Amino acid sequence: MSAVEAVDRVAAAVLAHPAVAGLHGGTFGDITTYLPGRRVAGVRFADADAAVAVGVVLRLGDPLPEVVDQLRGRVVAELGEIPVDVEICGVVAPGEDGAGEGVPGPGGA
């Protein structure tokens, strides 16, 4: 699987979780993958042997440790057994979309 495909699959799997309001590149933008012609904020994927990092803004509701475990499971389901670091970059109230919280869309900011 190419890096482009891996990043897109991880982003889609994470964004599909109902507790995820959006992806987030981290305080300093370090949770970002740079691809030809675009960047994906909220997913850092270097190669198949390195840990994948995911930055998210979550909707409050479910216990955050459970949501983090579920997100790790989604990434592992897409990429296989690989270390996954999930960083909660912010939280919003249920029903909010995270607008104004620095939440870029799936293509990054």
Side-chain angles (χ1 to χ4, degrees):
M1 165 182 336
S2 72
V4 172
E5 184 180 9
V7 169
D8 288 341
R9 288 174 63 172
V10 167
V14 169
L15 286 169
H17 192 287
V20 175
L23 295 172
H24 194 287
T27 303
F28 301 106
D30 57 336
I31 307 173
T32 302
T33 300
Y34 295 90
L35 299 171
R38 66 186 173 111
R39 63 184 176 152
V40 180
V43 179
R44 183 179 63 228
F45 178 82
D47 59 57
D49 296 327
V52 173
V54 178
V56 292
V57 174
L58 299 177
R59 293 181 186 92
L60 290 176
D62 295 327
L64 297 181
E66 289 179 18
V67 173
V68 168
D69 286 343
Q70 293 166 5
L71 294 176
R72 280 192 183 109
R74 286 174 179 247
V75 174
V76 168
E78 293 297 327
L79 301 180
E81 287 297 324
I82 187 169
V84 179
D85 298 324
V86 178
E87 182 174 328
I88 300 172
C89 299
V91 294
V92 295
E96 291 184 14
D97 63 3
E101 297 294 320
V103 180

